[in-house]
Amino acid sequence: MKVIPDIEVQSREKIKSFQEDKLRELLAYLSKCSPFYQGHFAKHQINIDSIRLLEDLESIPPTTKDDLQTHHWDFLCRPKREIAEYTSTSGTLGKPVTIALTHKDVERLAYNESISFACAGCSSDDVFQLMLTLDRQFMAGMAYYEGVRKLGAGIVRTGPGLPGLQWETIARLQSTVLIAVPSFLVTLTEYAIKNGISLNESAVRRAVCIGESLRTEDFHLNALGKRITEHWNIHLAGTYASTEMQTAFTECEQGNGGHHHPELIIVELLDRHDKPVEDGEAGEVTVTTLGVEGMPLVRYKTGDLCRAFYEPCPCGRTTMRLGPVLGRKQQMIKLKGTTIYPPAVFEVINQVAGVADYVVEVFTNKWGLDDLRIHLIAPEEGRLNIEEDIRNSFYAGLRVTPEIIFSTTEEIQKIQMAGTGRKINRLVDRRKPVIGNQ
């Protein structure tokens, strides 16, 4: 396999033309095989033959999470006997949705992850340590596993948690690449320092990170990324993906955003009126999947707010890059007149020394307004200083001061792992009624 697929080094015009050919193929497939999109096109009087250009997509109303939840099996384009794998979303913002994949879709996932790993600087010479679950219908764990195999590299499945076991495995098998949630890499770092393990004498040179942002809007490492690399000379590559899109955007070694794979997905950034934003503006990531057999999607609104960057990358790719997720539309918080998103809250907490773990709780106060409560794990003797540091940091950075509660490890873990139990929840939204799209 080539390190960089040919389409990813073409001009913006050639990439657009390539995607328009794929789009026409997709729409023909959906009009023949998808009960949902057959009804969707009929309801909105969409003539698919008139959709020739990417700009013509605007005539098709977007698909939403509500559509997937309400009309779930109407999205399935193949008979169930052809389904090879059933995965599901995490259910962070509602009821989990099952995504069915054919054998071809599983192969597509493997391709996506293999070129993503190559993009991050990995190769068949690496030994990957997978610190994510493969069970509970978790697509990401399976996708990473299949991607490493397609890359031709070795893999060891240690799963999440147990830092002692992780370090023993690293030492025994000389793992060179870790696949993990960034906050767990902080735990690994702290465990190593506490137990006399030399971080930089290990074989580990890279980490592919999932689930949490590593960078600020200008692509510098954020507080979480800095905590990992402060003592550990390791290259961090962030990824952005969702189960529904069956595609990942992974950083190359330049660390300037997640690279778009145009052979796999069409990306739009939309404003609140479902119109494309101007270049450089943040918008809701809206995707049209290419090459998916089981449950393809057209103009699916992810809820994630990002910026896109179109300048060619020094790595040689000319594809669009997605910046870090700025927030989710459904998780917008209006606090004392200030609009903020969870990543900004996490960044403030991650900058405070002494915080071992945390959960952010959003709730409706007695006045019917949004309010914040921070649950923290911190040493008993340092809590007064930590509380003062957090209050000062919040006021300096966000002009708000939240309620702070010191909790036990068991209390924090119970909140974090509520729901599917496969994904750490840093944010718990207890607002009533829940704020919808703004």
Side-chain angles (χ1 to χ4, degrees):
M1 178 182 294
K2 295 181 180 180
V3 174
I4 305 180
D6 286 342
I7 189 60
E8 300 189 18
V9 296
Q10 300 301 319
S11 67
R12 194 170 175 179
E13 292 74 21
K14 285 188 176 181
I15 290 174
K16 181 175 182 291
S17 177
F18 170 87
Q19 290 205 308
E20 288 167 346
D21 289 341
K22 296 295 182 183
L23 173 62
R24 291 190 286 271
E25 293 175 12
L26 170 64
L27 294 176
Y29 178 72
L30 292 174
S31 66
K32 177 182 178 182
C33 301
S34 172
F36 174 81
Y37 282 108
Q38 288 169 354
H40 193 62
F41 296 157
K43 177 182 178 181
H44 298 286
Q45 299 182 329
I46 304 297
N47 177 8
I48 63 168
D49 292 333
S50 68
I51 299 174
R52 314 298 296 173
L53 308 175
L54 294 187
E55 292 84 356
D56 298 334
L57 274 171
E58 287 186 52
S59 66
I60 303 177
T63 304
T64 66
K65 175 84 76 173
D66 286 343
D67 292 326
L68 271 177
Q69 291 173 331
T70 304
H71 307 285
H72 181 227
W73 290 115
D74 286 344
F75 282 87
L76 186 61
C77 292
R78 310 305 304 168
K80 287 193 175 181
R81 66 177 180 272
E82 294 184 20
I83 302 305
E85 186 83 31
Y86 291 93
T87 64
S88 81
T89 62
S90 64
T92 303
L93 295 178
K95 184 175 68 175
V97 173
T98 297
I99 301 295
L101 293 83
T102 66
H103 289 282
K104 182 180 176 182
D105 293 337
V106 175
E107 291 174 1
R108 177 184 175 282
L109 272 185
Y111 168 79
N112 167 82
E113 293 300 344
S114 65
I115 61 175
S116 295
F117 287 138
C119 183
C122 308
S123 74
S124 58
D125 294 329
D126 282 305
V127 176
F128 288 74
Q129 191 154 317
L130 182 59
M131 299 178 177
L132 303 172
T133 184
L134 278 173
D135 60 5
R136 302 181 183 180
Q137 301 179 67
F138 190 35
M139 179 184 284
M142 177 190 71
Y144 286 134
Y145 178 75
E146 295 290 343
V148 171
R149 287 166 56 86
K150 188 167 186 65
L151 186 66
I155 188 168
V156 52
R157 295 174 286 113
T158 52
L162 304 173
L165 170 65
Q166 303 289 359
W167 278 114
E168 185 277 331
T169 305
I170 290 170
R172 177 165 49 89
L173 298 180
Q174 296 295 288
S175 306
T176 58
V177 180
L178 309 180
I179 305 175
V181 176
S183 55
F184 183 64
L185 294 180
V186 174
T187 301
L188 275 186
T189 303
E190 293 172 346
Y191 181 93
I193 294 171
K194 182 178 179 180
N195 290 275
I197 298 172
S198 179
L199 289 159
N200 294 316
E201 288 182 8
S202 74
V204 178
R205 294 292 176 265
R206 301 179 187 278
V208 176
C209 298
I210 177 176
E212 296 170 337
S213 180
L214 290 167
R215 301 190 186 276
T216 60
E217 289 187 58
D218 58 1
F219 298 122
H220 291 104
L221 286 177
N222 61 17
L224 188 57
K226 289 176 181 176
R227 287 181 68 181
I228 298 167
T229 57
E230 181 181 6
H231 302 286
W232 199 354
N233 183 22
I234 183 174
H235 176 78
L236 304 177
T239 63
Y240 164 69
S242 73
T243 302
E244 299 94 321
M245 70 172 68
Q246 303 182 46
T247 311
F249 296 76
T250 303
E251 293 179 337
C252 70
E253 292 181 280
Q254 301 295 321
N256 290 328
H259 278 280
H260 173 213
H261 301 311
E263 66 272 44
L264 299 178
I265 200 162
I266 295 170
V267 183
E268 302 172 84
L269 296 185
L270 303 183
D271 63 19
R272 66 176 62 191
H273 304 294
D274 295 333
K275 299 297 183 182
V277 301
E278 297 293 331
D279 284 2
E281 292 183 1
E284 182 173 4
V285 179
T286 302
V287 298
T288 297
T289 57
L290 301 175
V292 172
E293 272 191 335
M295 299 180 78
L297 298 171
V298 174
R299 304 197 84 205
Y300 178 74
K301 297 170 68 176
T302 65
D304 297 320
L305 302 174
C306 293
R307 285 190 175 86
F309 299 84
Y310 296 96
E311 305 83 3
C313 183
C315 74
R317 293 172 179 81
T318 55
T319 49
M320 178 270 288
R321 291 166 286 116
L322 280 182
V325 175
L326 306 176
R328 292 185 65 86
K329 289 184 70 175
Q330 287 181 268
Q331 292 179 338
M332 186 183 79
I333 304 164
K334 195 75 170 181
L335 200 61
K336 296 179 175 62
T338 301
T339 298
I340 59 177
Y341 289 96
V345 177
F346 302 157
E347 176 72 358
V348 171
I349 300 172
N350 287 330
Q351 290 176 357
V352 178
V355 176
D357 207 348
Y358 64 90
V359 172
V360 177
E361 181 184 358
V362 189
F363 63 97
T364 303
N365 63 24
K366 64 180 180 180
W367 309 112
L369 303 173
D370 291 354
D371 217 332
L372 278 186
R373 185 179 291 128
I374 314 296
H375 299 262
L376 302 173
I377 298 176
E380 187 81 35
E381 63 276 9
R383 289 183 175 181
L384 287 177
N385 290 335
I386 289 172
E387 182 171 358
E388 183 180 1
D389 287 347
I390 288 180
R391 290 188 185 281
N392 290 340
S393 296
F394 264 93
Y395 191 76
L398 302 177
R399 298 298 177 188
V400 297
T401 52
E403 178 184 354
I404 297 171
I405 297 176
F406 290 98
S407 305
T408 66
T409 299
E410 292 74 20
E411 290 169 340
I412 291 285
Q413 290 179 345
K414 184 177 180 180
I415 300 172
Q416 287 178 337
M417 302 309 292
T420 63
R422 74 182 192 202
K423 190 173 183 180
I424 292 175
N425 295 316
R426 293 283 177 208
L427 179 83
V428 177
D429 194 336
R430 302 194 192 281
R431 290 176 290 186
K432 294 183 181 181
V434 176
I435 303 289
N437 286 0
Q438 302 295 312

